[in-house]
Each structure stands twice: as C-alpha cells, then as structure tokens.
Amino acid sequence: MKLSFLGAARQVTGSMYLLELEDDYRILIDCGSDLERSSSNGQTTPAVTHPGFFPFEASSINLVLLTHAHVDHSGNLPNLFREGYEGQILCTEPTFALTNVLLKDAASLNQKRINELNASKKQRVKDRQVQMQKDLFLDRQVRETMENVVPIGFNRKFKVADGVDVTFIPAGHLLGAAHIVINVVENGERKSICFSGDIGRKNYPLLVDPATVPPVDYLICESTYGNRLHEHLMTPEDALADIIQRTCIDIPGRLIIPSFSVGRTQALLYTLNRLYTERNFPPIKVFSDSPMGFESTKIYMQHIKMLNAEAREFYKENEALFDFQNFEFLESAKASKAVSNYGEPCIIISSSGMVQGGRVEYHVAENISNPYATILIIGYCAEGTLGWRLLNGQQTLSIKGKDHQVLANVEKIDVFSGHGDRNDLINFVSMQSPETLRNIFLVHGEYESMESFKATLAEEGYPQVIIPKKGESFEL
C-alpha cells in the first residue's frame, strides 16, 4: 500500500492523508482546511496534480475516515463532495454532530463573503466573486456531506472492504475525537497503521484520557507540542480561580476570555460551574457569547455518557454541567452589544479564541482601553491575529478600522489547551515497541517542533522517524 501526505505536512493545519491499497481501494483520512500560508521548510507541490480543488480525482476515493470535528481536519469535506466524491464518511457520533455545526457555520460565513462581493459594482471585485463561488462551499454542499456520514462506535472493528477493517480509539482532545487504526491484509501479509489525529492530555475537563493504541506497524503522529511542555502546572480550577479572584473579586473588574466555540468553551463553562458549586465563589455574572458555542454545548449534553467519570459524577450530583447561577447565553447580536452597558463585575466568554473575527472583537474593542478589564488568552494565537498582537505587547491596536490604546491587562494560561504536550506525545509513541514499529511519520506541527520531537524520539529509542513533505508518498 502507498501513503501520501497531502496536508499538515511540515505545518499544523490541513490534515489530509491518502492510503492506496493494492486492489485500487483508496481511503482518505481527514480532509481539513489549510489555515496557513507557509510553503517553506522544503515543501514540495503535491506529487499528484489535478485541475480541481484536490491533488487527486475526488470520485476515485472509496472512503473517508474523520478523526475529529475541528475544521483543520474536516473543513474541506463539502468541497470533496462538490468535486464528485460519492462515498461515505466514517466518524464517531459526537464528531458527526460537531462537524455539522462547524461546517454550517463556515458555509454561512462563505455566503456572507459572496453577498458582500455581489454588492460591489467594481469589475475587479466581480471577478473575485466569481472565483470565490468556485472555491467556497455553501449550505447545499454541507447537507450533502452530512447525509453521507455513518457514525460508528469507539473500540469496535468495522469492516470496510475485503481484508480491511478500521477501529476508532478515544483520543481525548475533543468530544468524539479518535485515533484511527487501519488493518489491511495484502497478499497474505497483515499490516496495521495508526493515525493519531490530535492527541489529548490527561485530566482535561470533561474529556476522557487518550486510550491505549494496540501495536501497529506504522504510526502517523501529530507533533503540535513536540518541542515544549505546558507552562502552567495548576489545575484548570485553580488557574481560573486565581484569575477571577484578581480580576473580578479583589477589584470590581471585567474578564474577557476569547475562546473557541467547540471544546474550549464547554471546558470553561464546566470549570466555572465547579468553582461556583464547590468553592462558593461569589455569583459573578457570566456571559457566553457565541451561537455556535450554544449549539456545541447542547451536543455535549447529549453525549454525557461519553464524558469522563468526574464530569458524569458532577452531573449526577448537580443535574447540570454548564448551567449555574448568574449564567447567561447571549443569543442575539443585540444582546451581545448590550453587555457593554452591564456595570457589575462579569466574565464574558466569546469566540474566536485568536480574537480574529466573531463577536469577541466587539468585546475586546469595548474593553481594551479599560484598565479595570483583563483579556485572558487561553490558547494558541497565530501570528498576525489580534490575540497574537495582544500577547506581544502592542500598545495600540486597530480593530475594524479604529485604533484603540491598550490599557487593559493581558494574561495567558495554557491549562485549557486540548493538545497534549511533549511528554504526552512521548507517552503516545511509547505504546509501540521500537523493535516492531517500522516507521513513525510526524505531521501536524511546525517544522521546528517536528525536528525537536524527532530528536527526542531518537533518544527514547525510536530512530525510524520521518518528517514527510507535502505531496510526498511512501510505500508501506
């Protein structure tokens, strides 16, 4: 069989891998959006070129496997169907539900961008609008995509073709996220390959710990945190309690938390609920301002049985995970803007996590010049985003064309990061024996992180590590 790396190769986003079997059966693992501009670090153009959106004929794919819902893994699925794919997508039930929310939101934003271009009278903009309609999927493609999803359970072998079975193993990281193990029998020889997806961390709010992966011949391993450890060793409850005490209780201040709607927001709300329920925190008003966060939270509630034991026990005792005194979801844009008139200490959780787009830009703009306000960054911010500029200490920021002096306090914690750090990645790889594992392929990380993690793995006794280029293929 042949494995081709078509995305997330020497960069973080755009996960997409093509596994071609000898009987012309082709499996695509993930089909994510490439959110980065980089083409450095020895990148090559795809080995297979095709005039469409993908470097292959979409109709030639027999099956798609999806590790989890985040758009850097799922975001190009509608384009795959638009270009002629007619098969199924296998994933877990929560991944199906969360992917539907994320893709619908993306389609809505795409339609909005097209409508804005349609309103222009400039020919140059009209030409761009024609091109965007070719590149951007809309609601009908999302509907077609989701109609072809087949949810399957964790830890059950699922036969997909003669001599081919797949197993989804809990990965932590996000509700429904999976490591995918594929077993293939070719010419009487059995081969196994594991795609890590994104590896979670132990004791993360709500989520189960990453489960054990059985011995495989080939391991495709993410490396996002391959060169570093998480900075904060406090529990999420202790870290958030410290921030709230200093920003909303010791002084009558306001705490703004930019947060991704799917996964991160639910972890925050659950942690806040525990603080108010178990530590008798003053009932400070909490606003969650994200329609997608609202929809995602409902999905978490529908899958309580798939959460960790601690969360299930908390729900059993309190009959709520995310609903607590003085908590309010802001459903309308009008309600969102009205929060700026709220005069008491409060906490505002809003998307996006990088402070780039979404309602959070309004909240940051309204509070960035307030010395009694604190902006808490709880995740990775890509270079150039407003979150990145805040973390780098810029004194003046332009938001929607207006300059703002930065007088608010800016803090960062990483206890809510859903990615395992270097030690977690080592633990994942160490499930495999160096004597029997044929190759490790590092993906989904910055090139420097991959190089560092490769050196670490060599020290741990794993010399057979490859860092593939985009478009590179390997015979397994």
Side-chain angles (χ1 to χ4, degrees):
M1 57 184 172
K2 183 171 74 172
L3 176 62
S4 300
F5 294 84
L6 307 180
R10 305 195 179 193
Q11 66 178 52
V12 176
T13 64
S15 292
M16 185 165 59
Y17 318 104
L18 179 60
L19 188 64
E20 301 174 82
L21 308 183
E22 287 189 358
D23 59 356
D24 205 29
Y25 193 84
R26 296 155 65 90
I27 303 174
L28 194 68
I29 298 89
D30 284 345
C31 190
S33 299
D34 186 343
L35 307 177
E36 299 165 70
R37 304 174 185 173
S38 173
S39 59
S40 59
N41 300 320
Q43 294 286 61
T44 63
T45 56
V48 182
T49 59
H50 186 267
F53 194 90
F54 299 95
F56 51 79
E57 177 65 53
S59 61
S60 71
I61 303 299
N62 298 95
L63 179 68
V64 175
L65 306 177
L66 181 60
T67 59
H68 66 286
H70 283 148
V71 293
D72 60 323
H73 294 257
S74 69
N76 269 325
L77 287 171
N79 287 321
L80 191 69
F81 280 91
R82 185 174 63 177
E83 292 219 348
Y85 178 60
E86 297 179 342
Q88 296 178 331
I89 302 168
L90 302 187
C91 65
T92 66
E93 180 67 41
T95 294
F96 165 65
L98 292 174
T99 299
N100 189 38
V101 170
L102 283 161
L103 293 182
K104 282 184 175 180
D105 182 72
S108 177
L109 292 174
N110 289 345
Q111 185 66 67
K112 188 175 181 180
R113 292 167 67 189
I114 290 173
N115 291 343
E116 289 172 351
L117 291 175
N118 282 337
S120 174
K121 296 181 179 180
K122 296 180 180 179
Q123 185 59 45
R124 173 176 55 83
V125 178
K126 290 285 188 182
D127 293 341
R128 175 61 181 147
Q129 180 261 337
V130 172
Q131 183 60 44
M132 286 183 69
Q133 285 184 322
K134 295 180 180 179
D135 294 342
L136 301 178
F137 62 81
L138 300 174
D139 280 340
R140 62 182 178 274
Q141 284 86 34
V142 174
R143 289 195 300 271
E144 182 182 7
T145 300
M146 303 316 298
E147 287 170 358
N148 288 279
V149 174
V150 178
I152 64 175
F154 279 120
N155 299 316
R156 297 177 183 175
K157 282 189 178 181
F158 192 88
K159 181 179 178 181
V160 297
D162 288 341
V164 185
D165 65 63
V166 301
T167 306
F168 286 69
I169 298 172
H173 179 68
L174 180 71
L175 180 66
H179 310 308
I180 299 179
V181 174
I182 305 175
N183 292 303
V184 179
V185 177
E186 286 185 331
N187 300 321
E189 182 183 2
R190 186 177 184 84
K191 301 175 185 177
S192 57
I193 180 170
C194 174
F195 294 85
S196 73
D198 286 358
I199 300 168
R201 55 196 297 190
K202 294 181 179 180
N203 302 315
Y204 189 82
L206 297 171
L207 301 181
V208 298
D209 291 347
T212 300
V213 173
V216 296
D217 299 307
Y218 301 95
L219 186 65
I220 290 79
C221 182
E222 70 114 321
S223 53
T224 314
Y225 273 74
N227 62 346
R228 60 196 187 276
L229 302 175
H230 289 302
E231 297 174 4
H232 294 84
L233 301 179
M234 303 170 71
T235 65
E237 290 86 355
D238 288 341
L240 200 54
D242 173 66
I243 293 284
I244 295 171
Q245 182 70 44
R246 291 187 286 104
T247 60
C248 296
I249 298 175
D250 293 344
I251 61 171
R254 174 174 286 206
L255 180 60
I256 315 296
I257 309 179
S259 176
F260 294 110
S261 300
V262 180
R264 206 70 56 88
T265 290
Q266 290 72 41
L268 274 170
L269 294 178
Y270 169 66
T271 302
L272 284 167
N273 193 2
R274 294 193 63 177
L275 288 180
Y276 293 141
T277 301
E278 300 173 348
R279 302 197 185 188
N280 297 317
F281 257 57
I284 300 164
K285 189 74 173 181
V286 176
F287 299 100
S288 180
D289 190 15
S290 166
M292 187 162 58
F294 179 70
E295 293 300 320
S296 302
T297 300
K298 289 194 294 185
I299 292 169
Y300 270 66
M301 286 298 301
Q302 292 164 3
H303 294 88
I304 289 176
K305 290 182 179 180
M306 301 185 76
L307 302 180
N308 62 32
E310 185 180 58
R312 297 197 307 270
E313 184 63 26
F314 184 88
Y315 177 76
K316 183 178 179 181
E317 293 178 359
N318 299 280
E319 299 183 346
L321 287 176
F322 309 109
D323 193 14
F324 46 90
Q325 185 181 6
N326 276 352
F327 169 68
E328 181 180 348
F329 264 116
L330 302 175
E331 297 188 40
S332 69
K334 182 178 179 181
S336 172
K337 292 185 176 180
V339 170
S340 61
N341 298 319
Y342 187 80
E344 300 296 322
C346 66
I347 300 168
I348 301 172
I349 303 168
S350 186
S351 62
S352 73
M354 296 187 191
V355 202
Q356 197 71 17
R359 293 184 181 180
V360 73
E361 284 193 12
Y362 172 80
H363 297 298
V364 170
E366 287 293 306
N367 293 278
I368 199 169
S369 298
N370 177 7
Y372 289 97
T374 298
I375 301 170
L376 177 63
I377 305 296
I378 62 170
Y380 172 76
C381 292
E383 185 174 349
T385 61
L386 285 174
W388 180 84
R389 295 174 192 171
L390 284 167
L391 289 173
N392 280 271
Q394 290 193 15
Q395 297 301 306
T396 302
L397 286 179
S398 177
I399 303 176
K400 296 189 181 298
K402 184 178 179 180
D403 289 339
H404 300 266
Q405 187 177 4
V406 181
L407 299 177
N409 303 296
V410 179
E411 298 199 27
K412 178 183 179 181
I413 55 175
D414 64 2
V415 294
F416 288 98
S417 170
H419 277 280
D421 63 12
R422 184 180 64 207
N423 287 342
D424 294 306
L425 298 181
I426 292 172
N427 289 337
F428 176 77
V429 173
S430 66
M431 298 177 193
Q432 307 297 323
S433 167
E435 287 74 30
T436 58
L437 188 64
R438 299 185 188 180
N439 286 114
I440 302 171
F441 298 93
L442 298 185
V443 297
H444 199 295
E446 296 173 348
Y447 187 64
E448 294 77 10
S449 176
M450 293 178 174
E451 288 280 17
S452 175
F453 191 46
K454 179 179 179 178
T456 299
L457 288 177
E459 294 173 359
E460 295 288 327
Y462 295 88
Q464 63 280 46
V465 181
I466 299 171
I467 303 176
K469 299 175 183 177
K470 186 174 183 180
E472 197 167 7
S473 298
F474 298 84
E475 292 291 337
L476 305 184

